[in-house]
């Protein structure tokens, strides 16, 4: 069931995906707090486009998104085990990331979390299991 991306290329895709998302958030908040700037706005738009493209290439075309979002009765034993392990690792990573963001938010924003951060956390929750599989599995 190999979909054409080697483990190295999947890892690169994961790095590009999350790096471009973080870059988008940084540039967006620069625009929000420092005012409009065409260069920063263009960079934010480019980062968002790269995030979408890398998501499609890394998660959708490899079918990792489908694997981690499929009903358990649609998976074979190996896929169930791989999916379970990715969820286990993802939960730990996601918990730490959320706690750090909540703590930073409490210190800097008085406990308020901007909707874009919340949306990014939702994105992370849904893509992290597929990213763990992309990172760890020899073949998907």
């Amino acid at each position: 069931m190999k979909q054409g991306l080697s483990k190295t290329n999947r890892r690169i895709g994961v790095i590009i995906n999350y790096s471009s998302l973080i870059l988008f958030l940084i540039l967006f908040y620069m625009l929000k707090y420092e005012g409009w700037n065409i260069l920063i706005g263009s960079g934010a738009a480019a980062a968002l486009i790269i995030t979408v493209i890398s998501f499609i290439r890394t998660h959708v075309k490899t079918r990792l998104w489908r694997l981690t979002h499929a009903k358990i009765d649609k998976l074979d034993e190996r896929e169930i085990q791989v999916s379970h392990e990715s969820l286990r690792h993802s939960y730990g990573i996601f918990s730490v990331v959320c706690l750090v963001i909540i703590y930073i938010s409490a210190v800097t924003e008085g406990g308020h979390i901007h909707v874009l951060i919340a949306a990014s956390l939702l994105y992370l929750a849904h893509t992290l299991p597929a990213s763990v599989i992309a990172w760890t599995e020899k073949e998907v």
Side-chain angles (χ1 to χ4, degrees):
M1 187 169 123
K2 191 170 183 182
Q3 297 298 319
L5 281 182
S6 68
K7 185 176 182 178
T8 302
N9 286 337
R10 291 191 316 264
R11 285 180 172 184
I12 291 168
V14 168
I15 291 168
I16 290 170
N17 186 251
Y18 291 133
S19 297
S20 61
L21 178 63
I22 291 168
L23 178 61
F24 168 72
L25 291 170
I26 290 168
L27 295 175
F28 175 84
Y29 285 106
M30 285 175 67
L31 288 170
K32 181 180 177 187
Y33 292 113
E34 295 179 15
W36 177 253
N37 177 316
I38 191 74
L39 186 60
I40 295 173
S42 298
L48 185 58
I49 290 168
I50 291 168
T51 301
V52 171
I53 290 169
S54 63
F55 166 77
I56 292 168
R57 186 164 191 263
T58 305
H59 296 286
V60 176
K61 286 190 175 181
T62 60
R63 298 186 183 183
L64 289 171
W65 176 266
R66 191 170 147 259
L67 174 66
T68 58
H69 287 80
K71 292 183 179 182
I72 199 162
D73 60 339
K74 302 285 184 193
L75 303 175
D76 64 28
E77 279 189 43
R78 180 190 172 278
E79 291 170 332
I80 292 170
Q81 182 64 30
V82 167
S83 183
H84 172 74
E85 283 299 307
S86 73
L87 288 169
R88 190 174 65 80
H89 291 294
S90 298
Y91 178 74
I93 295 166
F94 184 73
S95 298
V96 171
V97 169
C98 279
L99 288 173
V100 168
I101 289 173
I102 290 168
Y103 178 74
I104 291 170
S105 174
V107 171
T108 61
E109 298 288 329
H112 301 296
I113 295 179
H114 190 269
V115 69
L116 199 52
I117 296 293
S120 297
L121 288 172
L122 183 61
Y123 176 78
L124 180 64
H126 279 280
T127 58
L128 201 50
S131 294
V132 168
I133 294 171
W135 197 269
T136 59
E137 289 298 307
K138 186 174 187 171
E139 208 174 285
V140 294

